[in-house]
Amino acid sequence: MPPAITADLNAHGETFLAAAAARPADAATSGPPVALSVHDDLAGIEREWRDLETIADCTAFQTFEWLDTWQRLVGARTGVRPAIVVGRGGDGAILFILPLATRPMPFGRELVFLGTELCDYNGPLLAPGFAAVVPDFAALWPRIAAAVRAHAAFDVIHLVKMPAKLGGQDNPMLALGVTLNPSGAYATPLGASWDEFYAAKRSSSTRSRDRGKRKKLAEHGALAFVEPQAETDIVATLDALVAQKSRSFARMGVSNIFARPGHRDFYRALFTDPKARHLTHLSRLDCGGQPAAVNLGLTFRGTYYHLQASHDDGEASRFGPGMAHLHDLLRTAIERGYKTYDFTIGDEPYKRDWCDGVIPLYDHFAAATWRGAVLCAPMAVKARVKRVIKQNPALWDAFRHMRSFAGRLLPRR
């Protein structure tokens, strides 16, 4: 949102939104009229959503499978109310689907992206040629916010983790006035062959060390790259990942996402659903028949999304089972014709070893009511402070050590 509109929204809250809702349909856009509808029942627009996602510019995190499963198993348990905005052109064709929701926050409710907790990239699904029909999304936004407000009240607009690009189109949400997210994302184009890609990304000395570590790891048991297919094997592999990650979170002093309401059920439901097999990919590296490392991934539009990775913390962990598994994943992605390997959000150092640069992500904060004006300011300050810490290696290293120390002092569950 341009600064003037942001200031107006923060200063006038409900009055601004009410005025926007009262405007004629074509007064808020410089292009053709856009008809808006808001839906809280995902099943009611499932067919149109699935049809659009086959041609839309979006990421795997905007697919119906991902967000519907999330809402059923996480959102519904935590007071999240979907507010899916559908925009249509004069001919009735869908121009965009914007998966929003309202959720509880201390002393109010906030407008967020549906599933934002587990979505590494947020944004709308855009029909081909969207920008030509809606050249001024910032002018349309007040109508969108007012339509959602008529559907469900909210005090704060809190939209995060938005990439600048969605497929081949610019992300129109960045027209709202944004700040940098505390974290960046990382992705790398894949080569024609693993050997060529590996040689381009890692020095000969590093490749030699990798071979030595893999040989040492194999001394603890035969290595096997496994992609479980049977439901019982999928569940057992997911359980191994949860156990490994939970111990890792505890060591780092980080909140365990799998202990949050519905999160573990979400991954289990999604990865065991036969209808979601086109989207999900689960694998592990076995060492002597035991899971040494596990990875949750998504596959969408020629991109492999690297979501959750874990490794065993036993004796063999000294020889890098996680990195050995990553090598297998990269090789497999190349052999299956994927064009991009997306490490998604997070500034872990190993990602920089494979990627040439960081992908900036953006956030938008705004108040929608007088109460929201009080709540919004500290949220924005917290995000800025977090970014300063995370983007300064010395500060981030010190913070991680303090967090890990504090985590060790807490009783284990």
Side-chain angles (χ1 to χ4, degrees):
M1 189 177 295
I5 294 179
T6 303
D8 198 8
L9 182 58
N10 287 335
H12 300 292
E14 295 179 58
T15 303
F16 176 79
L17 289 171
R23 295 175 187 173
D26 59 351
T29 64
S30 57
V34 176
L36 301 175
S37 58
V38 182
H39 307 261
D40 60 10
D41 178 18
L42 275 70
I45 54 172
E46 178 179 357
R47 181 183 60 79
E48 292 182 302
W49 191 324
R50 289 186 183 277
D51 287 347
L52 181 63
E53 75 180 43
T54 63
I55 60 170
D57 283 302
C58 60
T59 77
F61 301 102
Q62 284 75 58
T63 57
F64 183 87
E65 223 88 53
W66 177 270
L67 290 177
D68 180 64
T69 306
W70 184 92
Q71 176 58 24
R72 287 188 290 104
L73 296 173
V74 181
R77 298 184 186 183
T78 54
V80 173
R81 184 178 179 185
I84 312 301
V85 181
V86 178
R88 299 177 187 271
D91 60 357
I94 293 180
L95 298 171
F96 66 89
I97 293 178
L98 181 55
L100 299 176
T102 63
R103 69 180 182 186
M105 64 181 297
F107 311 109
R109 289 186 73 84
E110 58 183 343
L111 180 66
V112 298
F113 285 105
L114 183 67
T116 189
E117 295 170 85
L118 294 181
C119 292
D120 287 358
Y121 302 122
N122 287 313
L125 299 90
L126 302 176
F130 164 83
V133 183
V134 187
D136 189 0
F137 186 80
L140 179 62
W141 174 251
R143 283 189 55 221
I144 293 174
V148 174
R149 179 134 177 109
H151 173 82
F154 56 89
D155 301 290
V156 171
I157 301 171
H158 184 196
L159 306 174
V160 299
K161 296 183 287 186
M162 298 184 287
K165 288 280 189 180
L166 292 167
Q169 299 193 61
D170 292 337
N171 186 347
M173 303 297 291
L174 268 62
L176 305 188
V178 295
T179 58
L180 281 168
N181 186 274
S183 299
Y186 296 82
T188 183
L190 296 171
S193 72
W194 162 246
D195 290 337
E196 175 187 318
F197 175 80
Y198 188 33
K201 293 293 183 179
R202 312 298 282 146
S203 67
S204 59
S205 59
T206 298
R207 299 198 304 274
S208 177
R209 284 196 301 272
D210 288 344
R211 288 192 296 271
K213 284 186 174 182
R214 192 173 185 106
K215 184 177 179 180
K216 288 287 188 180
L217 183 63
E219 292 175 1
H220 287 75
L223 301 181
F225 179 71
V226 180
E227 298 169 283
Q229 301 299 315
E231 182 172 335
T232 54
D233 198 11
I234 291 172
V235 170
T237 302
L238 288 170
D239 288 345
L241 178 136
V242 170
Q244 291 173 359
K245 288 292 283 186
S246 296
R247 292 194 295 270
S248 175
F249 289 142
R251 288 194 302 272
M252 294 187 295
V254 174
S255 172
N256 185 355
I257 66 167
F258 297 108
R260 298 173 189 170
H263 282 53
R264 187 169 182 170
D265 293 338
F266 163 76
Y267 286 112
R268 177 173 290 190
L270 186 70
F271 279 78
T272 58
D273 184 355
K275 293 187 298 183
R277 291 293 174 88
H278 67 284
L279 180 67
T280 59
H281 182 259
L282 178 65
S283 65
R284 68 178 189 264
L285 178 66
D286 281 356
C287 179
Q290 298 299 314
V294 185
N295 187 78
L296 292 178
L298 298 178
T299 59
F300 185 71
R301 301 275 184 79
T303 296
Y304 188 96
Y305 293 85
H306 184 100
L307 296 189
Q308 295 281 352
S310 69
H311 61 82
D312 185 60
D313 53 1
E315 176 66 21
S317 66
R318 295 187 297 122
F319 305 112
M323 187 56 66
H325 187 204
L326 176 59
H327 291 175
D328 290 345
L329 281 166
L330 287 163
R331 181 198 298 272
T332 300
I334 291 170
E335 290 174 349
R336 293 180 182 174
Y338 290 100
K339 302 302 181 185
T340 304
Y341 197 96
D342 194 329
F343 289 93
T344 67
I345 193 171
D347 294 296
E348 292 86 350
Y350 80 90
K351 296 180 180 181
R352 297 189 179 95
D353 292 339
W354 301 96
C355 304
D356 295 331
V358 62
I359 300 170
L361 301 176
Y362 299 90
D363 301 341
H364 172 68
F365 296 90
T369 65
W370 289 109
R371 178 191 297 169
V374 176
L375 298 172
C376 191
M379 293 170 61
V381 170
K382 180 181 178 181
R384 286 196 292 270
V385 170
K386 187 175 179 180
R387 176 165 180 81
V388 168
I389 293 173
K390 294 195 75 171
Q391 298 305 315
N392 183 302
L395 289 176
W396 181 233
D397 191 55
F399 175 80
R400 288 191 300 108
H401 279 90
M402 288 188 294
R403 185 179 63 186
S404 179
F405 177 74
R408 289 195 298 271
L409 297 180
L410 295 175
R412 300 293 175 88
R413 293 183 178 180

